[in-house]
Amino acid sequence: MVAGEASSRLANAPTDSVKAHHRRTSSLWVPPSRPAFSNPAPIIRHKAERSSRALKSLLPCGACCCAATASSTAQPEFRKVLPNHRFDSNTPRYEHPNRRNYADNRICTTKYTLLTFLPKNLFEQFHRAANLYFIFIVILNMTVGAFGRYISMIPITFVLMVTAVKDAFEDYRRYKSDVKINHSTCRVWDNEQSRYRKMEWRNVLVGDFVHLSCNEIIPADILLLRSSDENGICYVETSNLDGESSLKQRQIIVSMGSASVDFTPRNFTATVYCEQPNNQIYRFNGYVQQENGVKEPVSKMNLLLRGCEVRNTDFVEGIVLYAGRDTKAMLNNSGPRYKRSELERLTNWDIIWCVLILLVMCLTGAIFSAIWLSSFTDPYRVPFLTFIENIDMLNPELEGFINFWSYVIVLQVMIPISLYVSIEIIKLGQIYLTSQDVNLYYESADKRIQCRALNIPEELGQVQFVMSDKTGTLTENQMKFRRCYVAERDYGTETSAATISSATKSPSSKVDHELLSRLVRTSESFLARGDLSFEDHSPSSDLMHFFINMAVCNTVVVNAHPHQFLEISII
């Protein structure tokens, strides 16, 4: 009863009150799915049109039959994005125009499906020379019949099955990761209830308004319309895209600068024209056209990319321009590919050399067998001759040819069929030992090392050089002020450096008090005088020059999150 009264009060509350408390009260918004027995014709037609547009975007301009056809079927330069609340509210989301014309936000990074797993996996496995060799031996044995025809299939079938199970397990992990990402939640504007509601990423459509809080991951490519910062600035971390942990600054569009404080998605009636999806993460062109025809250009400074993280900003709001596979992050993801280690390449060459040696041995045996048979004038005197119906028709050349393939089957043991199975078992053992290594355990995040490519774990042991383009890669972006040397004076000793080194392991001591006291004593006299001319060359003046130089060369963003600690970021 109390819960019902609370929900009714919330439904009748003013819009601002609902928006202020939507984080704690919003329930999961699950849009209705398409009926199971609906007419499949529109679905097939829309998918065919979408596939046709995607194919035409990949073809060069000269691939069309004529210039007129090319110009009539080419994609427009800009895509038109209308806010979803401008469409009929009675239209279900699965039939929404933005759902039909553009990709949804569901992603799929798996390599196989139930239909393509067997042919695609076999095609990849047949890149191994040994597998092709043993398939050839099986076919040859079924033709000649030197051994049991079906028994010879067991070893190669076992080898293919072991590798297929390993590849299926690796792809299943990708599937689980996709499910986790697709079921992540964000807050999307519900125009009927006039508030933001939680929705899974997979149900987000182009034209939706999304509300993101600090430290939330951006679910799609979004045009920034509102920010909690009074200057309309938002900071994002793009480490998931380009590996850069430094914060990037983004700005709301100019026309929203004065209205961003009172911004409400239902009042946004402009139309956004943006370029067609591409993988250029540092380039974006488009414009926002108001109802009165005024156009305002937008650039990459106004775009929040999928996979980035909102930082040092209480909240941001924007409209989705690209979703799912059309986002720049997914277009830069070429998908999983079959990786071959140096050991596998070397093994392939060893197999090829073994096959060549085998062919030489079989050819030598066949030639000498033909010479030996031709030395007999009477075919009935040939010892160890297999049964022939018409022995008078004995042909030494034909017998040598048959003996060649018989030798291939007999000497096939030169190529160990268990070679690849042994290598796969060793790789699994390496992966297990690596994941259980205590020295590779990250205590701060409570994570162990994960092997994402099961085909190349041995490559880690063959690294000879580590190349880094910045110090942050080696210092884990934790720059500690250990000591400084100013005006021929050393502020800090080896003891202070060791103290700060131990401070990284002990959270309770993060300040080198000895170094701090020396710096304070030196600058106290300078600050007491109030003379900021810096004309003298006293130690205190040089020290102030040093700190001013450090302050000018670094950007410090101070942000106090509600209900959180004070955060200072140097970018």
Side-chain angles (χ1 to χ4, degrees):
M1 184 66 181
V2 176
E5 294 177 356
S7 60
S8 62
R9 287 197 302 268
L10 180 61
N12 298 326
T15 303
D16 296 339
S17 176
V18 173
K19 288 166 58 179
H21 297 84
H22 69 84
R23 299 181 189 178
R24 293 189 294 269
T25 59
S26 59
S27 58
L28 185 62
W29 180 15
V30 181
S33 58
R34 184 182 298 274
F37 299 99
S38 59
N39 184 13
I43 305 176
I44 298 175
R45 183 175 63 255
H46 295 151
K47 289 187 175 181
E49 293 176 355
R50 186 180 301 172
S51 301
S52 177
R53 289 194 300 267
L55 180 61
K56 291 174 183 177
S57 64
L58 297 176
L59 292 176
C61 297
C64 299
C65 298
C66 60
T69 305
S71 60
S72 61
T73 59
Q75 280 190 324
E77 182 180 1
F78 292 98
R79 67 156 52 181
K80 181 180 179 181
V81 178
L82 291 174
N84 288 340
H85 64 79
R86 293 181 57 180
F87 295 94
D88 186 8
S89 59
N90 296 324
T91 303
R93 288 181 69 88
Y94 58 82
E95 292 184 355
H96 200 280
N98 285 340
R99 172 67 176 83
R100 296 199 310 263
N101 299 329
Y102 307 123
D104 57 10
N105 207 34
R106 190 190 306 267
I107 65 169
C108 179
T109 61
T110 56
K111 184 189 300 185
Y112 309 108
T113 63
L114 293 177
L115 296 178
T116 63
F117 174 75
L118 186 60
K120 195 171 184 179
N121 187 260
L122 289 177
F123 175 76
E124 291 176 347
Q125 291 197 55
F126 287 153
H127 281 79
R128 295 177 173 178
N131 291 341
L132 290 175
Y133 169 77
F134 285 110
I135 288 293
F136 172 74
I137 292 297
V138 169
I139 297 175
L140 182 62
N141 187 47
M142 287 186 173
T143 304
V144 179
F147 299 102
R149 295 185 175 182
Y150 298 103
I151 295 178
S152 61
M153 297 177 58
I154 296 178
I156 184 61
T157 304
F158 177 76
V159 172
L160 296 177
M161 286 182 59
V162 169
T163 307
V165 169
K166 186 204 66 172
D167 293 340
F169 173 73
E170 186 175 358
D171 205 56
Y172 178 73
R173 294 198 306 175
R174 298 192 193 98
Y175 168 75
K176 296 292 289 185
S177 177
D178 291 344
V179 171
K180 182 178 179 180
I181 293 175
N182 289 330
H183 285 77
S184 301
T185 59
C186 61
R187 288 178 286 275
V188 178
W189 176 259
D190 185 359
N191 198 53
E192 294 183 359
Q193 299 189 14
S194 299
R195 67 186 181 105
Y196 285 97
R197 300 177 61 187
K198 283 186 179 180
M199 177 183 286
E200 294 180 347
W201 282 19
R202 59 177 180 171
N203 295 323
V204 176
L205 300 180
V206 172
D208 279 336
F209 289 91
V210 178
H211 179 105
L212 299 171
S213 301
C214 185
N215 297 329
E216 268 195 275
I217 299 179
I218 302 172
D221 291 352
I222 299 173
L223 181 66
L224 184 59
L225 300 177
R226 184 187 182 190
S227 173
S228 60
D229 185 82
E230 58 183 5
N231 297 319
I233 296 175
C234 166
Y235 293 96
V236 294
E237 182 180 336
T238 61
S239 58
N240 292 334
L241 292 181
D242 53 14
E244 294 289 341
S245 58
S246 58
L247 302 184
K248 308 295 191 304
Q249 182 175 305
R250 295 295 181 262
Q251 180 78 37
I252 65 174
I253 60 178
V254 178
S255 61
M256 302 299 298
S258 59
S260 61
V261 178
D262 301 327
F263 171 78
T264 304
R266 70 158 65 92
N267 297 332
F268 185 83
T269 57
T271 304
V272 182
Y273 292 87
C274 55
E275 60 186 4
Q276 295 297 332
N278 58 74
N279 60 354
Q280 302 295 326
I281 62 176
Y282 298 110
R283 181 177 66 87
F284 174 70
N285 295 317
Y287 60 91
V288 178
Q289 183 174 356
Q290 305 293 339
E291 288 185 320
N292 56 7
V294 177
K295 297 181 180 180
E296 178 187 354
V298 293
S299 64
K300 67 174 184 178
M301 294 299 297
N302 311 116
L303 187 67
L304 304 180
L305 298 181
R306 178 191 175 111
C308 298
E309 186 175 352
V310 179
R311 298 291 300 275
N312 291 1
T313 309
D314 187 21
F315 69 88
V316 294
E317 295 177 2
I319 183 173
V320 176
L321 300 184
Y322 307 104
R325 62 176 180 272
D326 287 344
T327 58
K328 295 182 181 295
M330 294 303 299
L331 290 175
N332 278 280
N333 183 10
S334 58
R337 57 187 179 90
Y338 188 80
K339 299 180 180 179
R340 294 177 179 83
S341 63
E342 189 64 27
L343 177 62
E344 183 175 341
R345 296 189 183 96
L346 181 62
T347 305
N348 279 339
W349 279 108
D350 291 340
I351 295 296
I352 292 175
W353 280 110
C354 290
V355 171
L356 292 177
I357 295 174
L358 175 65
L359 293 178
V360 171
M361 294 175 60
C362 296
L363 183 61
T364 303
I367 292 175
F368 279 100
S369 66
I371 295 175
W372 180 68
L373 287 175
S374 61
S375 63
F376 291 91
T377 57
D378 187 3
Y380 292 95
R381 294 182 177 273
V382 179
F384 311 110
L385 188 63
T386 56
F387 175 76
I388 301 177
E389 294 182 358
N390 191 359
I391 198 170
D392 295 330
M393 300 297 295
L394 179 64
N395 188 343
E397 290 77 10
L398 179 60
E399 289 296 324
F401 177 77
I402 296 175
N403 289 335
F404 172 81
W405 298 111
S406 300
Y407 291 149
V408 170
I409 298 175
V410 172
L411 300 177
Q412 64 174 323
V413 293
M414 287 187 58
I415 314 296
I417 194 171
S418 61
L419 176 63
Y420 283 110
V421 177
S422 302
I423 293 177
E424 296 295 340
I425 295 176
I426 293 173
K427 287 182 179 181
L428 292 178
Q430 289 178 339
I431 294 171
Y432 174 77
L433 294 177
T434 303
S435 62
Q436 299 297 322
D437 193 343
V438 180
N439 296 325
L440 299 177
Y441 172 71
Y442 187 34
E443 186 176 0
S444 301
D446 191 21
K447 290 184 178 180
R448 296 180 297 178
I449 188 172
Q450 294 182 356
C451 181
R452 301 187 182 276
L454 302 182
N455 293 329
I456 54 173
E458 70 276 7
E459 292 291 311
L460 288 175
Q462 302 178 24
V463 175
Q464 297 180 351
F465 303 97
V466 177
M467 299 182 181
S468 174
D469 61 339
K470 56 182 179 178
T471 58
T473 305
L474 303 178
T475 61
E476 300 178 354
N477 293 312
Q478 297 180 2
M479 304 299 292
K480 304 296 181 181
F481 183 69
R482 298 180 180 273
R483 58 194 300 183
C484 58
Y485 189 83
V486 182
E488 300 182 355
R489 297 188 64 179
D490 186 4
Y491 296 91
T493 61
E494 295 296 335
T495 305
S496 64
T499 303
I500 296 182
S501 298
S502 62
T504 58
K505 301 179 181 179
S506 176
S508 60
S509 59
K510 295 185 178 180
V511 179
D512 183 5
H513 298 283
E514 179 183 353
L515 176 60
L516 180 61
S517 60
R518 293 189 62 186
L519 295 175
V520 171
R521 286 196 305 269
T522 307
S523 57
E524 275 182 349
S525 59
F526 181 80
L527 295 175
R529 295 201 314 264
D531 183 10
L532 302 180
S533 60
F534 304 111
E535 294 180 356
D536 60 337
H537 295 282
S538 61
S540 57
S541 176
D542 294 332
L543 193 61
M544 292 303 297
H545 274 292
F546 171 74
F547 281 109
I548 289 177
N549 186 37
M550 289 187 63
V552 171
C553 295
N554 293 276
T555 302
V556 180
V557 179
V558 181
N559 179 52
H561 301 301
H563 313 295
Q564 297 185 21
F565 56 87
L566 182 67
E567 179 179 346
I568 300 178
S569 300
I570 300 179
I571 59 177

